[in-house]
Each structure stands twice: as C-alpha cells, then as structure tokens.
Amino acid sequence: MSKLSGITPSGHVHLGNHLGAVRRWALDGGADDLYFVADLHGMTTPHNPARLRSLASEQLAVLIAAGIDPERVFVQSDLARELGALIWVLECTCNYGEAARMIQFKEKSAARSASVEGGGGGMDGKSKGQAGVRLSLLTYPALMAADILLQGAGEVPVGEDQRQHVELTRTLAKRFNSTYGEVFTVPEAVLPPAGARVKDLTDPTRKMSKSTRDAAGVVFVLDEPDQVRRKIRRAVTDGGSVPVHAPDTRPGMANLLEILAACRGGSPSDLAEEFSSYGAVKDAVADAVIEELQPLRERALTLLDDVAELERVRKAGAERARERGSHRLDAALRMIGAN
Ligand code: AMP
C-alpha cells in the first residue's frame, strides 16, 4: 500500500522535522511510498514568491540528503498543471458546505479576520477580514485531495489536524467513483508511528515549528554547528539543577533529554542519570545534535551548490510522479465529461 507524505516549505527544515519525520521517511519508507515538497500549499496565506522558491529547493535537497530515494521525491508545483486540472474535477465533486466546515479553514480564516481591525464601508472587522482571506484557503482540501488521488496513495500518515481533510478526500473519491465511474483509490488516514516531538528551545510548551518568528528556539538542519551549540546552550530550562526527565514540571529539561534520546538512542530517564548538571546535559545534546545533523547538512549543501544536479533530480522526480498519475487524471476528465 503506497503512502504519501508532504512537507510544506513555509520555513527552513528544523530538527523536529528531521527527528520526527524526515529521518524516518528515509529509514522506513516502503518502495512505493512518495514524499513531496508541498510548495503550492505554502500559497494559501500571504507569501513571498522568491522565498517560497528557495525554501522548496532547500527542502528537496534535505529530503534527498536524508537518504530518501530521489525516485520517490517530487516538488508539488512541478505537477501544477495536472493538479490544477484535478482540483477542478474535485471542486466539481465537492459541496461548498463541505469545504467551509473544515476546522482548519475556520481557524485560519478566523485568525486572519481577527487581525483585521475595526469596521468601515458597511463591513465589520470579521467579514472584512474574511473577505481578505485567500479563496485557496477554502479550496485547499481539494488540492490535498488531488495530491493524494492523483498518485493513487492508499495510506496518508497525518496528525489530528489533517485527519478531516483525508476524510473529505475519501468522501470525494467515493462520490466520484459512484457517480462517474471507478477511477480513484479511496485512501485511509493512518497515524504516523510515534516519533520524537521536539519542542521549541525557548518555549518548551510549544512544538518546534518552521513558522516561529523567533529562530532562537529552533535548530535548523542547515545551521552552522556553532549556531546549533549556541541555541542549545541558551535553551530555557526550569529552576532545578539535577537533571530529571519530568515533562510536566520540567518541560525544558525533558525536551533536551528527549532530543538526546532521539539522537543517541536510549530512554530520556536513563540518560538523565548520566549527568549531574544542566550544563553537562546541554553540552551532550549539542554534541549529539551536531553529530546527527552533520552528514545531512553536508550532503544538502553540496547538492544545493550543484544547481544542475539538483535540477536533474527534480525533473526526474516530477516526470515519474506525472507518469504515475496521468492515467487517473485522463480517466477522471473523460468520465466527468471533459474529453
Ligand atoms: P510541517 O513542518 O508541519 O510541514 O511537518 C512536516 C513533518 O514534520 C510532519 O510529519 C510533522 O509531523 C513533522 N514535525 C513538524 N514539527 C515537528 C516537531 N516539532 N517535532 C516532531 N515532528 C515534527
């Protein structure tokens, strides 16, 4: 059963992405699994085109540097034409109400509304804010459905926040198949295997995230080793002095011990016993993270320097992804009455 997973280039790839997802994709990925850089998904809220383009290249380089077979990696926008056509088919299969009740749309559009102050022109702040929300935020689930259905993925490993979108994909696939004819594999949302959940180093109650404004708490996989060490040394820890693994009361120290365990193996509580001071834990975490990231960083930077090679790999990946999906797209267009 082929699995499909994506990573959005909304920021630089960080240690959480690596330990929680990318490393596992490289180690455990099945021969039919697919990984993609979801750059089209990065356009549903205000974005900078040049930055998006450069982050997409960086992510592609990191995925390949991590050891994922380049045959199984592609950049989403390289399939923009195929996906664009399929999105239309799926939007013609989806009801407005189904898209509008997606929790993520409601939350993100509400957040955007809240950021628009005051009323004026007969519109209050809320409706004015919603009017300024990109339509693509509403239709985003159709793009996600197109990603999945074009490739015929059988399983989609997702967290809670994306489950509803996979449910909608299932509904659309079934509806299309029963209305127009069997074209699409109906995918299952599966839970990704439990992996490390890395927290922000300056606020260990939050998960490490690409879109966090203050980069002090986020270790990027392409950070220089000195930078990595500095960020880890400055990690916020709690009042204690003897290291123990107590996520509820000592979240900062727990995060460091969990990162150490993810890099070195072993359990965070056992590792805690090796150290008598917070400083010693931080030094060990910095050493382990630098060692963990070093080969990945070197390979990714080499690839990013070799523009021709990165372009070659990218084109080949896109070509294969296109080939894999073209018969489904052709059949869907034919059956819905397009050609
Ligand atoms: P995203 O950064 O949301 O595009 O996620 C890409 C992948 O990285 C997903 O599989 C996430 O579950 C994983 N991921 C993102 N942030 C973290 C984190 N702080 N710790 C562990 N895994 C993460």
Side-chain angles (χ1 to χ4, degrees):
M1 187 73 82
S2 90
K3 289 196 194 78
L4 178 75
S5 302
I7 177 161
T8 309
S10 49
H12 299 286
V13 187
H14 56 71
L15 183 66
N17 295 133
H18 172 68
L19 295 177
V22 177
R23 183 173 74 165
R24 178 164 43 78
W25 294 346
L27 283 175
D28 308 338
D32 293 331
D33 294 354
L34 293 169
Y35 302 95
F36 70 105
V37 176
D39 54 348
L40 298 176
H41 289 203
M43 301 176 186
T44 55
T45 49
H47 74 286
N48 174 321
R51 180 170 147 70
L52 183 66
R53 191 174 294 118
S54 116
L55 288 171
S57 292
E58 180 190 304
Q59 289 199 347
L60 176 67
V62 169
L63 294 185
I64 292 168
I68 302 177
D69 178 357
E71 299 235 333
R72 297 189 283 120
V73 181
F74 65 95
V75 178
Q76 188 187 27
S77 61
D78 290 341
L79 270 66
R81 284 162 192 79
E82 290 75 11
L83 290 169
L86 191 52
I87 289 163
W88 186 251
V89 167
L90 295 171
E91 283 180 12
C92 295
T93 310
C94 184
N95 304 320
Y96 168 76
E98 285 173 325
R101 74 178 163 73
M102 292 292 111
I103 293 163
Q104 207 172 64
F105 170 71
K106 284 196 201 161
E107 284 178 358
K108 287 197 180 174
S109 60
R112 170 111 182 107
S113 309
S115 71
V116 175
E117 280 187 24
M123 276 179 142
D124 62 13
K126 182 156 190 279
S127 47
K128 201 171 156 192
Q130 274 191 336
V133 166
R134 291 187 178 173
L135 182 60
S136 53
L137 195 60
L138 176 67
T139 58
Y140 161 87
L143 173 57
M144 183 160 157
D147 292 326
I148 299 166
L149 300 180
L150 184 69
Q151 300 301 332
E155 292 183 347
V156 190
V158 283
E160 230 8 82
D161 58 331
Q162 293 295 330
R163 222 158 227 281
Q164 203 186 17
H165 295 151
V166 180
E167 271 311 310
L168 181 60
T169 304
R170 287 170 59 79
T171 303
L172 299 183
K174 286 187 206 159
R175 187 177 299 152
F176 186 99
N177 288 348
S178 63
T179 312
Y180 303 110
E182 284 289 325
V183 174
F184 298 120
T185 304
V186 180
E188 299 267 354
V190 295
L191 273 182
R197 303 302 300 166
V198 180
K199 307 287 180 4
D200 190 290
L201 297 176
T202 54
D203 178 359
T205 58
R206 250 190 351 204
K207 86 174 189 174
M208 190 175 277
S209 155
K210 284 184 257 141
S211 42
T212 303
R213 263 193 206 147
D214 178 10
V218 183
V219 171
F220 298 111
V221 302
L222 298 187
D223 275 347
E224 305 254 354
D226 279 357
Q227 247 173 321
V228 173
R229 192 172 296 281
R230 244 191 333 267
K231 287 179 180 176
I232 292 171
R233 281 240 173 90
R234 290 191 190 145
V236 168
T237 41
D238 17 73
S241 56
V242 179
V244 284
H245 182 245
D248 292 338
T249 50
R250 310 261 177 98
M253 182 42 59
N255 187 34
L256 290 174
L257 290 165
E258 284 162 20
I259 293 172
L260 188 61
C263 293
R264 284 202 351 205
S267 86
S269 329
D270 290 348
L271 287 170
E273 290 176 11
E274 284 181 25
F275 303 98
S276 55
S277 74
Y278 275 31
V281 174
K282 286 184 172 180
D283 285 340
V285 173
D287 289 342
V289 170
I290 291 168
E291 194 182 321
E292 171 74 27
L293 294 182
Q294 192 196 10
L296 174 60
R297 178 174 180 270
E298 281 174 5
R299 281 197 293 268
L301 291 177
T302 306
L303 203 50
L304 282 167
D305 267 347
D306 191 345
V307 179
E309 173 61 6
L310 191 59
E311 194 52 29
R312 190 193 64 71
V313 173
R314 177 171 173 160
K315 273 206 177 119
E319 196 44 48
R320 269 184 296 268
R322 204 172 288 123
E323 275 167 16
R324 254 189 311 257
S326 68
H327 67 284
R328 286 186 203 93
L329 174 60
D330 289 348
L333 285 169
R334 197 171 56 249
M335 287 177 173
I336 204 170
N339 51 30

mmCIF file of all heavy atoms in Angstrom, residues 31 41 80-81 89 96 106 119 127 131 139 172 195 200 213 218 221 242 246 254 279 283 299 322 324 338:
data_model
loop_
_atom_site.group_PDB
_atom_site.id
_atom_site.type_symbol
_atom_site.label_atom_id
_atom_site.label_comp_id
_atom_site.label_asym_id
_atom_site.label_seq_id
_atom_site.Cartn_x
_atom_site.Cartn_y
_atom_site.Cartn_z
ATOM 1 N N ALA A 31 8.926 0.777 -0.709
ATOM 2 C CA ALA A 31 9.348 1.007 -2.099
ATOM 3 C C ALA A 31 8.332 1.838 -2.885
ATOM 4 O O ALA A 31 8.686 2.505 -3.854
ATOM 5 C CB ALA A 31 9.577 -0.332 -2.792
ATOM 6 N N HIS A 41 0.930 24.405 -1.324
ATOM 7 C CA HIS A 41 0.231 24.584 -0.040
ATOM 8 C C HIS A 41 0.729 25.823 0.696
ATOM 9 O O HIS A 41 0.064 26.330 1.577
ATOM 10 C CB HIS A 41 0.430 23.360 0.864
ATOM 11 C CG HIS A 41 -0.312 22.149 0.393
ATOM 12 N ND1 HIS A 41 -0.665 21.122 1.231
ATOM 13 C CD2 HIS A 41 -0.757 21.786 -0.816
ATOM 14 C CE1 HIS A 41 -1.302 20.183 0.531
ATOM 15 N NE2 HIS A 41 -1.361 20.564 -0.717
ATOM 16 N N ALA A 80 1.883 21.221 -11.286
ATOM 17 C CA ALA A 80 0.808 22.220 -11.141
ATOM 18 C C ALA A 80 -0.288 22.031 -12.200
ATOM 19 O O ALA A 80 -1.473 22.193 -11.907
ATOM 20 C CB ALA A 80 1.379 23.629 -11.221
ATOM 21 N N ARG A 81 0.106 21.677 -13.408
ATOM 22 C CA ARG A 81 -0.905 21.557 -14.469
ATOM 23 C C ARG A 81 -1.826 20.360 -14.204
ATOM 24 O O ARG A 81 -3.050 20.468 -14.320
ATOM 25 C CB ARG A 81 -0.228 21.443 -15.835
ATOM 26 C CG ARG A 81 0.295 22.791 -16.289
ATOM 27 C CD ARG A 81 1.326 22.735 -17.375
ATOM 28 N NE ARG A 81 1.943 24.055 -17.525
ATOM 29 C CZ ARG A 81 2.895 24.540 -16.729
ATOM 30 N NH1 ARG A 81 3.376 23.813 -15.741
ATOM 31 N NH2 ARG A 81 3.366 25.754 -16.908
ATOM 32 N N VAL A 89 -11.804 19.125 -11.160
ATOM 33 C CA VAL A 89 -12.699 17.955 -11.137
ATOM 34 C C VAL A 89 -13.219 17.736 -9.707
ATOM 35 O O VAL A 89 -14.414 17.484 -9.491
ATOM 36 C CB VAL A 89 -11.926 16.701 -11.632
ATOM 37 C CG1 VAL A 89 -12.689 15.418 -11.322
ATOM 38 C CG2 VAL A 89 -11.635 16.818 -13.130
ATOM 39 N N TYR A 96 -19.891 23.297 -1.342
ATOM 40 C CA TYR A 96 -19.335 24.451 -0.626
ATOM 41 C C TYR A 96 -19.333 24.197 0.888
ATOM 42 O O TYR A 96 -18.344 24.431 1.570
ATOM 43 C CB TYR A 96 -20.154 25.713 -0.963
ATOM 44 C CG TYR A 96 -19.825 26.874 -0.065
ATOM 45 C CD1 TYR A 96 -18.655 27.599 -0.235
ATOM 46 C CD2 TYR A 96 -20.681 27.219 0.991
ATOM 47 C CE1 TYR A 96 -18.333 28.644 0.613
ATOM 48 C CE2 TYR A 96 -20.364 28.258 1.844
ATOM 49 C CZ TYR A 96 -19.201 28.971 1.649
ATOM 50 O OH TYR A 96 -18.882 29.988 2.497
ATOM 51 N N LYS A 106 -11.782 27.201 9.155
ATOM 52 C CA LYS A 106 -12.456 28.079 10.121
ATOM 53 C C LYS A 106 -11.432 28.761 11.019
ATOM 54 O O LYS A 106 -11.498 29.954 11.262
ATOM 55 C CB LYS A 106 -13.405 27.259 10.991
ATOM 56 C CG LYS A 106 -14.673 26.862 10.282
ATOM 57 C CD LYS A 106 -15.664 26.426 11.330
ATOM 58 C CE LYS A 106 -16.740 25.552 10.783
ATOM 59 N NZ LYS A 106 -17.413 24.798 11.805
ATOM 60 N N GLY A 119 -14.221 48.262 11.637
ATOM 61 C CA GLY A 119 -15.171 48.028 10.548
ATOM 62 C C GLY A 119 -14.972 49.028 9.435
ATOM 63 O O GLY A 119 -13.863 49.302 9.036
ATOM 64 N N SER A 127 -16.192 40.261 8.859
ATOM 65 C CA SER A 127 -16.487 39.961 7.453
ATOM 66 C C SER A 127 -15.454 40.590 6.536
ATOM 67 O O SER A 127 -15.105 40.033 5.495
ATOM 68 C CB SER A 127 -17.901 40.398 7.090
ATOM 69 O OG SER A 127 -18.140 41.689 7.560
ATOM 70 N N ALA A 131 -13.280 38.466 3.967
ATOM 71 C CA ALA A 131 -13.256 38.812 2.547
ATOM 72 C C ALA A 131 -11.814 38.860 2.048
ATOM 73 O O ALA A 131 -11.553 38.643 0.878
ATOM 74 C CB ALA A 131 -13.942 40.156 2.327
ATOM 75 N N THR A 139 -10.325 26.284 -0.615
ATOM 76 C CA THR A 139 -10.280 25.154 -1.552
ATOM 77 C C THR A 139 -9.067 24.257 -1.316
ATOM 78 O O THR A 139 -8.906 23.254 -2.007
ATOM 79 C CB THR A 139 -10.274 25.654 -3.013
ATOM 80 O OG1 THR A 139 -9.141 26.503 -3.194
ATOM 81 C CG2 THR A 139 -11.535 26.417 -3.352
ATOM 82 N N LEU A 172 -14.861 12.450 -1.369
ATOM 83 C CA LEU A 172 -14.842 12.883 -2.771
ATOM 84 C C LEU A 172 -14.504 11.716 -3.696
ATOM 85 O O LEU A 172 -15.097 11.568 -4.776
ATOM 86 C CB LEU A 172 -13.833 14.023 -2.969
ATOM 87 C CG LEU A 172 -14.108 15.302 -2.158
ATOM 88 C CD1 LEU A 172 -13.086 16.389 -2.490
ATOM 89 C CD2 LEU A 172 -15.520 15.820 -2.412
ATOM 90 N N GLY A 195 6.867 9.240 17.030
ATOM 91 C CA GLY A 195 8.278 9.631 16.911
ATOM 92 C C GLY A 195 8.548 10.738 17.896
ATOM 93 O O GLY A 195 7.685 11.087 18.705
ATOM 94 N N ASP A 200 10.075 23.753 21.120
ATOM 95 C CA ASP A 200 10.881 24.957 20.922
ATOM 96 C C ASP A 200 11.837 25.123 22.113
ATOM 97 O O ASP A 200 11.440 24.939 23.261
ATOM 98 C CB ASP A 200 9.925 26.156 20.830
ATOM 99 C CG ASP A 200 10.619 27.419 20.392
ATOM 100 O OD1 ASP A 200 11.412 27.977 21.179
ATOM 101 O OD2 ASP A 200 10.363 27.861 19.261
ATOM 102 N N ARG A 213 8.505 32.954 14.587
ATOM 103 C CA ARG A 213 9.265 34.140 14.181
ATOM 104 C C ARG A 213 10.647 34.198 14.800
ATOM 105 O O ARG A 213 11.618 34.529 14.142
ATOM 106 C CB ARG A 213 8.496 35.393 14.568
ATOM 107 C CG ARG A 213 7.759 35.819 13.338
ATOM 108 C CD ARG A 213 7.182 37.152 13.361
ATOM 109 N NE ARG A 213 6.067 37.040 12.411
ATOM 110 C CZ ARG A 213 4.951 37.674 12.502
ATOM 111 N NH1 ARG A 213 4.765 38.483 13.489
ATOM 112 N NH2 ARG A 213 4.003 37.506 11.619
ATOM 113 N N VAL A 218 14.707 27.446 17.624
ATOM 114 C CA VAL A 218 14.534 26.454 16.556
ATOM 115 C C VAL A 218 15.896 26.117 15.956
ATOM 116 O O VAL A 218 16.592 27.002 15.467
ATOM 117 C CB VAL A 218 13.600 27.019 15.442
ATOM 118 C CG1 VAL A 218 13.344 25.970 14.367
ATOM 119 C CG2 VAL A 218 12.285 27.505 16.035
ATOM 120 N N VAL A 221 18.222 22.415 10.263
ATOM 121 C CA VAL A 221 19.185 21.361 9.911
ATOM 122 C C VAL A 221 20.377 21.939 9.155
ATOM 123 O O VAL A 221 21.445 21.341 9.139
ATOM 124 C CB VAL A 221 18.575 20.166 9.126
ATOM 125 C CG1 VAL A 221 17.458 19.500 9.882
ATOM 126 C CG2 VAL A 221 18.103 20.557 7.759
ATOM 127 N N VAL A 242 19.553 19.359 39.202
ATOM 128 C CA VAL A 242 19.926 17.980 38.880
ATOM 129 C C VAL A 242 18.987 17.489 37.778
ATOM 130 O O VAL A 242 17.762 17.543 37.932
ATOM 131 C CB VAL A 242 19.795 17.077 40.127
ATOM 132 C CG1 VAL A 242 20.155 15.628 39.774
ATOM 133 C CG2 VAL A 242 20.690 17.596 41.238
ATOM 134 N N ALA A 246 11.085 14.978 33.588
ATOM 135 C CA ALA A 246 9.740 15.210 34.140
ATOM 136 C C ALA A 246 9.025 16.215 33.238
ATOM 137 O O ALA A 246 9.025 17.415 33.508
ATOM 138 C CB ALA A 246 9.858 15.741 35.569
ATOM 139 N N ALA A 254 13.154 18.183 29.979
ATOM 140 C CA ALA A 254 12.597 16.981 29.344
ATOM 141 C C ALA A 254 12.821 17.035 27.831
ATOM 142 O O ALA A 254 13.205 16.046 27.204
ATOM 143 C CB ALA A 254 11.101 16.870 29.655
ATOM 144 N N GLY A 279 24.185 22.016 32.699
ATOM 145 C CA GLY A 279 25.188 22.413 31.700
ATOM 146 C C GLY A 279 25.743 21.196 30.966
ATOM 147 O O GLY A 279 25.946 21.233 29.742
ATOM 148 N N ASP A 283 25.668 20.391 26.938
ATOM 149 C CA ASP A 283 26.855 20.086 26.114
ATOM 150 C C ASP A 283 26.661 18.777 25.358
ATOM 151 O O ASP A 283 26.983 18.672 24.174
ATOM 152 C CB ASP A 283 28.111 19.983 26.991
ATOM 153 C CG ASP A 283 28.578 21.368 27.435
ATOM 154 O OD1 ASP A 283 28.191 22.359 26.769
ATOM 155 O OD2 ASP A 283 29.319 21.458 28.438
ATOM 156 N N ARG A 299 25.671 16.961 2.934
ATOM 157 C CA ARG A 299 25.126 16.466 1.659
ATOM 158 C C ARG A 299 24.143 17.473 1.056
ATOM 159 O O ARG A 299 24.138 17.713 -0.149
ATOM 160 C CB ARG A 299 24.417 15.117 1.854
ATOM 161 C CG ARG A 299 25.380 13.935 1.942
ATOM 162 C CD ARG A 299 24.639 12.629 1.704
ATOM 163 N NE ARG A 299 23.697 12.352 2.777
ATOM 164 C CZ ARG A 299 23.983 11.638 3.863
ATOM 165 N NH1 ARG A 299 25.188 11.109 4.007
ATOM 166 N NH2 ARG A 299 23.075 11.417 4.787
ATOM 167 N N ARG A 322 4.417 12.480 -12.474
ATOM 168 C CA ARG A 322 3.445 12.798 -13.525
ATOM 169 C C ARG A 322 2.975 11.516 -14.216
ATOM 170 O O ARG A 322 1.790 11.305 -14.417
ATOM 171 C CB ARG A 322 4.128 13.716 -14.534
ATOM 172 C CG ARG A 322 3.178 14.569 -15.314
ATOM 173 C CD ARG A 322 3.928 15.585 -16.153
ATOM 174 N NE ARG A 322 4.518 16.656 -15.381
ATOM 175 C CZ ARG A 322 5.816 16.980 -15.377
ATOM 176 N NH1 ARG A 322 6.685 16.314 -16.101
ATOM 177 N NH2 ARG A 322 6.245 17.974 -14.639
ATOM 178 N N ARG A 324 3.030 8.526 -13.031
ATOM 179 C CA ARG A 324 2.233 7.688 -12.139
ATOM 180 C C ARG A 324 0.780 8.128 -12.119
ATOM 181 O O ARG A 324 -0.128 7.328 -11.969
ATOM 182 C CB ARG A 324 2.791 7.786 -10.712
ATOM 183 C CG ARG A 324 3.545 6.564 -10.290
ATOM 184 C CD ARG A 324 3.887 6.631 -8.810
ATOM 185 N NE ARG A 324 4.475 7.899 -8.440
ATOM 186 C CZ ARG A 324 5.761 8.105 -8.215
ATOM 187 N NH1 ARG A 324 6.617 7.116 -8.297
ATOM 188 N NH2 ARG A 324 6.221 9.280 -7.885
ATOM 189 N N ALA A 338 -15.236 15.777 -19.698
ATOM 190 C CA ALA A 338 -14.374 16.846 -20.231
ATOM 191 C C ALA A 338 -13.759 16.489 -21.585
ATOM 192 O O ALA A 338 -13.658 17.343 -22.444
ATOM 193 C CB ALA A 338 -13.273 17.182 -19.240
#
